[in-house]
Amino acid sequence: MSKNQSPGGRRHGGGHGTMHLPLQKPKHFKKTFNRLLGYLRPHVGVLITVFAAAVLSTLFSILAPKLMGDATTRLFEGMMNKIRGVPGAQMDFDYIWNIVVTLIVLYVLSSLFMYVMQYLMSGVSQKMVYTLRRQVNEKLARLPVRYFDTHPYGDVLSRAVNDSENISNTLSQSLTTSITSIVTLLGVLVMMLTISPLLTVVLLVTIPLSLVGIKGIAGRSQLYFKQQQERIGKLNGHVEEMFTGHQVVKAFNREPQAINTFKEINGSLYHSAWKAQFLSGIIMPMMMFIGNIGYVLISVVGGMLVINRTIQIGDIQAFIQYARQFGQPLNQIANISNIIQSTIASAERIFEILDEEEDTPDLPEPAVLPEPRGHVRFEQVSFRYKADQPLIEQMNIDAAAGSSIAIVGPTGAGKTTLINLLMRFYDCDAGRITIDGVDIKTLKRDALHHLFGIVLQDTWLFSGTIRENIAYGREKATEEEIVRAAAAAHADHFIRTLPDGYDTIINEEGSNLSQGQKQLLTIARALLADPVILILDEATSSVDTRTEVHIQKAMQTLMKNRTSFVIAHRLSTIRESDLILVMNHGHVVEQGTHTTLLEKGGFYADLYNSQFENNDQKQITG
């Protein structure tokens, strides 16, 4: 069983959190980046304000160390004058108090502009991602069934949810962080140069050492983090399989093998995670070590400059603070470059959905069936899923309005494909299909689908009340109509025995109902829709024999004056059908009533007899 793993969450902000994720690189960075920028163009005015707020917030915070250095210098000078006994020497507290007030104002303004920046950027990112999600949702509604047949639902879900969330997080956090990081880097560099070009050179000499170390360690840790993500996915897949199939595992006494498999995957995950965390954990101590070397050099050289009266002692304090600030944006920029790569890759995955080929559009002036009767004809219809593998070739079927058509045949004969073509989930390659003489390609798709009611072998119920699930068959259905449909499907009795009756909540997995009960609800849903054409894909396969008899009687009544297509594997359920189509390898090899086909002694007779011989053999051996 293959599992589609969703990308894990990621951390944002300073430090090295983003190095803990495998880097997902886009295929076409520039093209995707430019396209993503297109979603930001409607918000240019807000983005300019965001940029201005980020610059002002950063500049105000950059000025603070210099002012604190000036205060330190004035305090030091006053203290030294007192020690030297300079007449009238005293501490200039008015000057220092003015600096304190100025610093408070600067920090308040910096915080205020930072708040404005984050607030506006959050709004832009959410509006942009809202647009992307809406476009993806609308696109999925327009995509053909072929797309969903060839793309795992987990992958589609990951693109629609996780990838859009990835873009949102980058815009709201990493984009503003990158702006402030660049402004901080440039501003701090300018301030350091104004204090002392020599100390600035001393600091810059230590930076290449840290960058080389980060690159070497991050490269190795990236490999182990990628292994960690892969093994987490494998572990999740194994656990999900074992829990969903726990009854089978227990029935075949495979618990020891399941536990051993878990231990093996878990052990592999442990080793990868330990190595990844260990290597990434080295980065911060290494940065601190190199940074401390830089501080030592600055202190030694700065002390010599102070002794020589080249700079003031407060300037050394300010410079050390700037040196600390200088390293942080370098780390953030390195991390953000990886985040941007991953974000563009996420955008690329979303754009791949948006660029998928859609269903053939409806005609500008589609045909209308004012009073549909349900006369269905297949005229020389041919179809193949793959160009080199023919499936249906020149099929001809004539189903009169109100007749019941049974479709039988071995697995892979093309039974479900026939229904997919009829509902125009796929378009036929040649020939045409008509309803009441009108080619279905000339009808609007939603109008065509309104003609059908369908009950599949695999039940689908959503989390909600039983009443809501039945009412899904027709919008604005009344309580009386819902109950009548449930009664016709022989579901009303079991519904009323439930504690909350029609208000019973069906849980997410539908596990609080039996498979047969769920099937009865889907039948009731289809009956409520009151379609012109009814499609039953082995609709009674999951109910017991007694319930099946009741349903068959109800179906016979309900299928009167309604064209019905019944895909059946148990041939005993289709004896009363008006027409039986026997399919094999995409061709209708026989057609007729149950009696005429048995008398013919052909393919259908062999299927029918072999099925009942098997049943008789089971009864004898039982």
Side-chain angles (χ1 to χ4, degrees):
M1 183 184 296
S2 62
K3 301 292 175 189
N4 298 286
Q5 301 303 329
S6 301
R10 60 186 178 84
R11 295 185 287 168
H12 296 270
H16 304 278
T18 49
M19 291 183 183
H20 291 195
L21 293 169
L23 179 59
Q24 184 185 12
K25 293 187 177 181
K27 302 171 187 173
H28 308 287
F29 183 93
K30 186 176 180 181
K31 178 182 177 183
T32 306
F33 180 77
N34 290 335
R35 184 171 177 180
L36 191 61
L37 286 180
Y39 286 84
L40 292 173
R41 288 195 183 100
H43 311 288
V44 169
V46 178
L47 290 174
I48 292 173
T49 306
V50 167
F51 181 79
V55 170
L56 290 172
S57 174
T58 307
L59 287 179
F60 288 145
S61 64
I62 289 173
L63 291 174
K66 177 61 176 171
L67 292 175
M68 285 188 285
D70 292 342
T72 301
T73 299
R74 186 61 62 93
L75 283 171
F76 179 76
E77 289 174 349
M79 183 181 66
M80 292 303 295
N81 288 336
K82 279 191 173 185
I83 292 174
R84 292 171 185 157
V86 176
Q90 59 181 358
M91 307 296 288
D92 191 352
F93 288 109
D94 290 338
Y95 178 82
I96 294 170
W97 176 246
N98 288 334
I99 287 181
V100 170
V101 173
T102 303
L103 284 172
I104 292 172
V105 172
L106 287 178
Y107 282 133
V108 169
L109 289 174
S110 178
S111 300
L112 180 62
F113 281 113
M114 181 66 72
Y115 170 79
V116 171
M117 175 190 70
Q118 293 290 358
Y119 177 81
L120 293 177
M121 200 64 224
S122 295
V124 170
S125 65
Q126 291 305 318
K127 287 177 183 177
M128 176 178 167
V129 173
Y130 169 83
T131 301
L132 274 174
R133 284 180 179 147
R134 176 177 54 80
Q135 289 180 351
V136 169
N137 184 61
E138 292 173 353
K139 180 71 176 189
L140 292 175
R142 298 193 300 269
L143 288 177
V145 173
R146 185 190 304 272
Y147 177 83
F148 299 97
D149 286 345
T150 55
H151 290 76
Y153 74 90
D155 179 64
V156 177
L157 183 65
S158 176
R159 292 172 188 243
V161 179
N162 293 358
D163 286 325
S164 59
E165 189 65 24
N166 189 19
I167 295 171
S168 173
N169 289 336
T170 298
L171 286 174
S172 61
Q173 298 181 42
S174 299
L175 188 60
T176 53
T177 302
S178 63
I179 294 172
T180 55
S181 295
I182 293 171
V183 175
T184 300
L185 193 67
L186 296 175
V188 166
L189 184 61
V190 169
M191 294 302 293
M192 289 192 300
L193 287 171
T194 59
I195 293 172
S196 172
L198 178 59
L199 290 178
T200 304
V201 172
V202 170
L203 176 65
L204 293 177
V205 167
T206 63
I207 292 176
L209 294 175
S210 61
L211 294 179
V212 170
I214 289 174
K215 185 175 181 181
I217 295 174
R220 293 194 63 187
S221 65
Q222 199 77 23
L223 174 64
Y224 289 116
F225 274 114
K226 185 175 182 180
Q227 290 180 0
Q228 177 186 345
Q229 292 298 107
E230 291 172 351
R231 283 158 191 176
I232 287 174
K234 186 181 288 187
L235 188 68
N236 289 342
H238 173 73
V239 171
E240 183 179 348
E241 283 183 341
M242 292 304 102
F243 274 108
T244 54
H246 67 278
Q247 289 180 322
V248 177
V249 173
K250 286 183 176 294
F252 286 93
N253 296 317
R254 304 292 286 189
E255 294 98 324
Q257 290 87 338
I259 292 172
N260 289 335
T261 302
F262 178 87
K263 286 181 178 179
E264 181 182 338
I265 300 173
N266 196 32
S268 178
L269 173 60
Y270 164 77
H271 290 295
S272 296
W274 184 87
K275 290 177 182 177
Q277 296 293 342
F278 173 75
L279 286 172
S280 63
I282 294 176
I283 293 177
M284 188 56 69
M286 184 195 69
M287 290 291 294
M288 291 178 62
F289 175 74
I290 296 174
N292 288 332
I293 291 176
Y295 300 144
V296 170
L297 293 174
I298 290 170
S299 300
V300 172
V301 176
M304 295 172 63
L305 294 176
V306 170
I307 292 172
N308 294 329
R309 298 184 180 276
T310 306
I311 62 174
Q312 302 292 335
I313 190 169
D315 290 336
I316 298 297
Q317 174 196 325
F319 197 94
I320 291 175
Q321 286 184 280
Y322 284 130
R324 289 185 179 276
Q325 288 185 350
F326 192 72
Q328 184 179 4
L330 285 176
N331 295 338
Q332 290 175 339
I333 291 170
N335 292 332
I336 289 169
S337 64
N338 281 353
I339 294 175
I340 290 175
Q341 290 278 343
S342 177
T343 302
I344 298 301
S346 292
E348 192 171 64
R349 282 163 51 81
I350 291 176
F351 293 151
E352 284 175 359
I353 291 182
L354 297 179
D355 293 338
E356 283 287 338
E357 185 178 350
E358 299 181 6
D359 268 325
T360 307
D362 294 325
L363 296 177
E365 297 182 4
V368 179
L369 291 175
E371 296 181 3
R373 294 175 292 109
H375 181 195
V376 178
R377 286 176 59 91
F378 283 65
E379 301 174 3
Q380 297 292 311
V381 170
S382 297
F383 175 76
R384 56 186 67 189
Y385 289 106
K386 296 182 179 180
D388 58 341
Q389 296 179 12
L391 180 59
I392 291 177
E393 294 290 329
Q394 297 183 337
M395 175 183 288
N396 291 290
I397 300 173
D398 191 351
S403 61
S404 60
I405 315 299
I407 307 169
V408 302
T411 301
K415 303 185 295 296
T416 302
T417 301
L418 186 148
I419 299 302
N420 286 339
L421 292 174
L422 179 59
M423 296 194 69
R424 211 184 165 201
F425 292 152
Y426 288 85
D427 283 327
C428 51
D429 298 327
R432 70 175 193 153
I433 302 171
T434 65
I435 297 179
D436 298 338
V438 178
D439 192 331
I440 62 173
K441 289 184 179 180
T442 65
L443 296 170
K444 287 189 67 175
R445 274 193 173 81
D446 58 351
L448 174 66
H449 294 160
H450 274 304
L451 300 176
F452 293 93
I454 185 167
V455 179
L456 300 173
Q457 183 176 358
D458 296 325
T459 57
W460 178 80
L461 298 172
F462 57 86
S463 180
T465 65
I466 287 178
R467 177 183 289 102
E468 291 169 341
N469 272 275
I470 296 175
Y472 196 79
R474 189 169 74 212
E475 193 174 358
K476 297 180 180 179
T478 65
E479 179 73 14
E480 182 182 354
E481 291 170 333
I482 293 171
V483 173
R484 189 186 306 132
H490 292 268
D492 181 67
H493 174 71
F494 92 78
I495 293 173
R496 294 186 186 279
T497 62
L498 297 173
D500 297 320
Y502 282 83
D503 293 317
T504 300
I505 300 291
I506 300 174
N507 60 30
E508 188 174 352
E509 299 295 330
S511 57
N512 55 339
L513 295 178
S514 71
Q515 184 64 25
Q517 289 172 333
K518 288 190 287 186
Q519 191 64 281
L520 291 174
L521 294 182
T522 62
I523 292 172
R525 183 168 62 197
L527 298 179
L528 180 63
D530 192 24
V532 176
I533 303 170
L534 187 64
I535 296 174
L536 306 172
D537 188 351
E538 198 59 36
T540 61
S541 63
S542 298
V543 299
D544 59 82
T545 306
R546 183 177 180 182
T547 304
E548 181 182 351
V549 171
H550 290 306
I551 292 177
Q552 287 297 329
K553 289 180 180 178
M555 289 297 178
Q556 291 300 323
T557 302
L558 290 163
M559 287 192 288
K560 287 181 179 178
N561 301 320
R562 179 180 285 116
T563 307
S564 304
F565 288 86
V566 182
I567 297 177
H569 296 289
R570 285 186 285 182
L571 303 186
S572 59
T573 63
I574 47 120
R575 292 175 179 173
E576 304 301 322
S577 298
D578 297 321
L579 178 65
I580 298 175
L581 303 176
V582 186
M583 296 189 66
N584 193 26
H585 301 302
H587 294 274
V588 177
V589 293
E590 294 177 348
Q591 55 180 301
T593 63
H594 172 73
T595 303
T596 57
L597 289 173
L598 282 182
E599 291 175 351
K600 187 176 180 181
F603 193 82
Y604 176 82
D606 289 341
L607 284 175
Y608 186 84
N609 292 328
S610 64
Q611 195 170 97
F612 279 90
E613 283 174 7
N614 290 336
N615 290 340
D616 293 341
Q617 186 65 31
K618 288 178 183 177
Q619 292 175 1
I620 293 171
T621 56

